[in-house]
């Protein structure tokens, strides 16, 4: 088994922790003279020292000079705040377009020392084997990356075809792996509500292993369907968007996970449940869900979410609990991490201000991992096999004709269903538009901001292309934009105003082994190669972020002004979020969970 985790368990470390705490032995590290931020009691205690041994906190007291021996490393806190390392309660590493190692390297300087990650993107492409690769690389890192076994590949059975399907047997097997903490978000909420035996078997395998079931209830209906979903076992939910959503979840004994990602802004509208309604904040958790590399490099990670929560009126100590101890408690790890207390992993941040939270020094498992925003440790890479790097199977060279939309016999105009993109939100609008017919073909209409969208099958080489229309990007001129990141089944999505460009873009992605490509006036003007599963790069975050920001500029050069338009692009095949999406089987009406026709 390929993983390295030298941290002793608390029982293994106990003799040494006791000896240090009793003052009989020197510590490995003493942090002197800081403000101890205690998330168990929500207090700031001035003038404390912290002694660390075996990568765990041994003692916290006003004077631990007794623990300083000739070999002891001493860090002067100089009156700064000593807070727990930050914890992300729900996220997908693949959204950063980075491997676990490079994601860790990007977020460690921002103070993230623990992540609960659901690799369901790679599960759709490479199945259980892909999850195992992510899990194994995660366990090599100098910080804590816990893996949730993906639950829903496909996320909507019968409405899409994935590269692999996840089975209850896969889930049961994964529960035996050392780094698996629970089940990834249960997106097939209609399946749970209908008591689908396969979904319930996955939940049962997780609960029987004593692990946590992640939730995803993406519906505003807080009546019977919501009650049925909660009764099925999911323990948390990050899909809430308003105060009523947050309140309903915590009243039912779920944890409300409030997210601020690159395209999700769901903290401000829900945190009022705590700041204004006064509900017990221990049942609320902050998370990112999806952050792309540019956000990580330029804006931060959980430190960004924390600052935002404080800006939204949360007491800093309450916001800190929401991204440390609350999350640890939820996953059954309160005795292991999430606070500065004896026996816990020595994950700690030194900061001079609790409101703006400058991350000045980061310690993980008792060693300094970042100083002044720069990483100081190595994040080891997994040796990704060739099978994980060759995942774009088009089956043929695509041609202009593959992107033709034929009109119904004898029609001069058609009423077409159009996917309407909504800025900064995951849901789309089911629109209709009158489109003209030329030579028996229906074209998009830049005047109505309607472009063509195509979903190109890329897992089995079927050569299949499903065509439709999309509105909201504002594209003009001759262009195409394509991506093999296409949640959740990760076929290829190409959006364009010109069929020739669309074909060229798709073929380029095939030859690149996956990623993103933007074309304008006959040439590629930007690309982000993502060779691992067509989802991730093993280059450093800064390199990927630079390519991604060039990609965003290129989209703007094609007329697109939407905030986070790439994120919207990549979600157009997400057949679990209303109202309308595209899949390899056709257009999907997600309010009814059924396939629908392109023309009315």
């Amino acid at each position: 088994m390929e993983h390295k985790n030298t941290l002793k368990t608390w029982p293994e470390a106990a003799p040494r922790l006791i000896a240090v705490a009793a003052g009989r032995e020197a510590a490995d590290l003493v942090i002197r003279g800081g403000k101890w931020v205690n998330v168990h009691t929500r207090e700031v205690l001035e003038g404390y020292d912290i002694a660390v041994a075996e990568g765990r906190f041994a003692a916290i007291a006003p004077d631990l000079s007794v623990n300083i021996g000739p070999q002891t490393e001493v860090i002067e806190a100089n009156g700064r705040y000593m807070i727990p390392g930050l914890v992300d309660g729900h996220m997908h590493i693949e959204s950063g377009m980075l491997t676990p190692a490079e994601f860790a390297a990007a977020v460690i300087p921002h103070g993230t020392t623990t992540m609960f990650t659901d690799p369901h993107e790679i599960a759709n492409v490479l199945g259980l084997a892909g999850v195992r690769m992510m899990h194994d690389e995660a366990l090599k890192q100098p910080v804590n990356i816990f893996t949730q076994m993906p639950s829903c590949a496909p996320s909507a059975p019968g409405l899409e075809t994935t590269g692999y399907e996840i089975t209850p047997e896969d889930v049961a097997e994964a529960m035996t792996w050392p780094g698996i903490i629970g089940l990834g978000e249960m997106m097939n909420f209609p399946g749970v509500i209908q008591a689908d035996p396969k979904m319930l078997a996955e939940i049962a395998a997780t609960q029987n292993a004593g692990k946590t079931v992640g939730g995803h209830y993406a519906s505003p209906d807080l009546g019977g369907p919501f009650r049925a979903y909660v009764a099925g076992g999911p323990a948390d939910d990050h899909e809430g968007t308003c105060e009523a959503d947050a309140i309903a979840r915590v009243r039912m004994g779920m944890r409300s996970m409030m997210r601020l990602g690159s395209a999700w802004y769901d903290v401000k509208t829900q945190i009022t449940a705590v700041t204004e309604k006064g509900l017990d904040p221990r049942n609320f958790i902050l998370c990112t869900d999806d952050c792309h590399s540019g956000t990580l490099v330029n804006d931060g990670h959980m430190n960004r979410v924390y600052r935002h929560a404080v800006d939204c009126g949360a007491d800093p100590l309450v916001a800190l609990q929401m991204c440390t101890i609350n999350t640890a408690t939820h996953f059954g790890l309160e005795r292991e991490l999430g606070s500065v207390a004896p026996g816990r992993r020595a994950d700690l941040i030194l900061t001079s201000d609790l409101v703006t939270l400058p991350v000045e020094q980061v310690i993980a498992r008792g060693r300094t991992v970042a100083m002044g925003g720069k990483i100081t440790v190595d994040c080891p890479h997994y040796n990704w096999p060739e099978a994980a790097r060759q995942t774009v199977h088009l089956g043929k060279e695509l041609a202009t004709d593959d992107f033709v939309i034929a009109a119904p016999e004898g029609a001069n105009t058609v009423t077409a269903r159009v996917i309407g993109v909504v800025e900064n939100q995951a849901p789309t609008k089911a629109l209709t538009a009158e489109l003209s017919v030329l030579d028996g073909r229906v074209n998009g209409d830049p005047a109505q901001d309607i472009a063509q969208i195509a979903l190109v099958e890329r897992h089995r080489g079927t050569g299949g292309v499903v065509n439709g229309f999309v509105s909201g990007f504002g594209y003009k001129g001759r262009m195409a934009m394509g991506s093999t990141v296409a949640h959740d089944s990760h076929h290829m999505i190409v959006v364009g105003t010109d069929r020739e460009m669309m074909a060229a873009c798709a073929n380029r992605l095939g030859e690149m082994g996956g990623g993103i490509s933007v074309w304008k006036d006959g040439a590629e003007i930007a690309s982000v190669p993502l060779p691992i599963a067509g989802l991730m790069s093993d280059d450093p975050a800064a390199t990927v972020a630079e390519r991604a920001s060039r990609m965003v500029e290129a989209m703007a050069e094609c007329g697109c002004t939407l905030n986070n338009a790439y994120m919207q692009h990549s979600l157009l095949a997400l057949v679990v979020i209303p109202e309308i999406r595209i899949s390899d089987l056709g257009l999907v009406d997600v309010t009814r969970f059924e396939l629908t026709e392109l023309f009315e």
Side-chain angles (χ1 to χ4, degrees), residues 91-161:
M91 52 162 283
H92 309 284
I93 283 177
E94 302 100 320
S95 297
M97 304 182 202
L98 306 166
T99 56
E102 291 300 337
F103 198 101
V107 302
I108 287 169
H110 295 307
T112 301
T113 56
T114 301
M115 293 171 258
F116 292 91
T117 70
D118 173 4
H120 74 201
E121 317 307 348
I122 204 170
N124 277 273
V125 180
L126 292 169
L128 190 63
V131 176
R132 186 67 206 218
M133 294 170 205
M134 295 290 279
H135 165 278
D136 288 358
E137 183 162 295
L139 288 184
K140 290 167 161 277
Q141 302 317 309
V143 290
N144 317 306
I145 305 182
F146 294 95
T147 303
Q148 294 169 292
M149 175 61 197
S151 60
C152 300
S155 58
L159 298 178
E160 63 178 353
T161 318

Side-chain angles (χ1 to χ4, degrees), residues 24 128 152 160 179 223 242 272 286 322 329 434 439 444 449:
R24 293 191 294 266
L128 190 63
C152 300
E160 63 178 353
C242 63
T272 51
L286 293 170
M322 289 179 184
T329 301
E434 292 295 318
D439 300 333
D449 183 17

Side-chain angles (χ1 to χ4, degrees), residues 14-28 51-53 58-59 64 66-67:
R16 177 100 195 282
L17 295 175
I18 293 165
V20 171
R24 293 191 294 266
E25 273 187 34
D28 300 337
V52 175
L64 292 176
V66 62
N67 291 127

Side-chain angles (χ1 to χ4, degrees), residues 31 34-37 50 57 75 77 80-87 107-114 302-303 306-307 320 323-324 339-340 345-354 357-364 367 369-370 372:
I31 304 165
K35 297 184 181 85
W36 174 26
V37 179
I50 296 173
F57 295 119
I75 293 172
R80 287 178 291 175
Y81 297 95
M82 305 180 295
I83 69 170
L86 302 180
V87 179
V107 302
I108 287 169
H110 295 307
T112 301
T113 56
T114 301
M302 283 306 295
N303 55 337
Y306 167 87
R307 289 173 192 138
L320 189 60
C323 46
T324 58
S339 66
V340 179
R345 298 183 185 191
D347 301 337
L348 176 139
I349 297 168
L350 286 173
T351 179
S352 50
D353 185 70
L354 280 187
L357 204 77
V359 178
E360 290 151 8
Q361 184 164 356
V362 184
I363 292 161
R367 68 171 176 154
V369 290

